[in-house]
Amino acid sequence: MTIELNQQAVEGQDDDLRAALAGAGLPVDDLTDAGRRFYRFSHDRETVGFGGLELYGECALLRSIVVISDRRGLGFGQAITLSLLDEAHMKGADAAYLLTDTVAPFFQALGFRSIARDEAPAAILTTRQAASLCPASAALMVRSLPA
């Protein structure tokens, strides 16, 4: 079953975005830096989550994917991730990367695989997410686009 989501661009200073990310323990320090694109995802006019992208030529960094706590377990995380992957591909990316501390199995089920940091392009490794905001213990994962 495919979940239909409405995707709306939001600014990094959006209070709901910041609250959702902070509540999930995700970084908020760089939300207003240049080059970030964030989206509010809604279903039946109700916000179900947020997600973001950073585009670096043929590479995209998925970031800040969060589902509102009372909407978890209903397939919205998968729908948000797939929507962001489509967006990245439409913007010219042929690979998507992400960093995660806790939900690597979720992303593996969506076709991501863990890689060593030295396998990632410099554009990804020099992002604030990879260089300082996420701990060195975070798994770095990649998926080819489209797939």
Side-chain angles (χ1 to χ4, degrees), residues 9-19 21 27-33 36-39 63:
V10 295
E11 298 295 324
Q13 64 267 24
D14 182 271
D15 290 337
D16 294 334
L17 169 67
R18 286 182 168 276
L21 296 178
V28 296
D29 295 346
D30 68 334
L31 297 182
T32 59
D33 290 0
R36 279 103 178 107
R37 300 169 191 219
F38 297 101
Y39 303 93
R63 49 148 322 146

Side-chain angles (χ1 to χ4, degrees), residues 113-131:
R113 64 180 175 84
S114 294
I115 60 170
R117 297 232 175 188
D118 62 2
E119 293 180 54
I124 297 299
L125 295 177
T126 58
T127 64
R128 284 189 64 194
Q129 285 283 301

Side-chain angles (χ1 to χ4, degrees), residues 4 13-15 34 36 41-42 49 73 84 95 97 102 128:
E4 295 293 324
Q13 64 267 24
D14 182 271
D15 290 337
R36 279 103 178 107
F41 293 88
S42 57
L84 290 170
Y97 295 82
T102 58
R128 284 189 64 194

Side-chain angles (χ1 to χ4, degrees), residues 8-102:
Q8 175 189 8
V10 295
E11 298 295 324
Q13 64 267 24
D14 182 271
D15 290 337
D16 294 334
L17 169 67
R18 286 182 168 276
L21 296 178
L26 295 173
V28 296
D29 295 346
D30 68 334
L31 297 182
T32 59
D33 290 0
R36 279 103 178 107
R37 300 169 191 219
F38 297 101
Y39 303 93
R40 173 188 317 272
F41 293 88
S42 57
H43 179 71
D44 292 337
R45 292 185 246 167
E46 177 186 353
T47 298
V48 296
F50 296 90
L53 283 174
E54 295 178 31
L55 298 169
Y56 301 98
E58 296 177 350
C59 300
L61 179 66
L62 270 64
R63 49 148 322 146
S64 306
I65 298 172
V66 62
V67 175
I68 305 303
S69 62
D70 66 344
R71 309 308 285 159
R72 292 185 184 144
L74 302 173
F76 292 119
Q78 177 178 342
I80 290 170
T81 303
L82 294 175
S83 182
L84 290 170
L85 292 174
D86 285 346
E87 179 85 11
H89 182 64
M90 287 189 304
K91 301 281 188 196
D94 62 14
Y97 295 82
L98 61 84
L99 292 141
T100 183
D101 280 333
T102 58

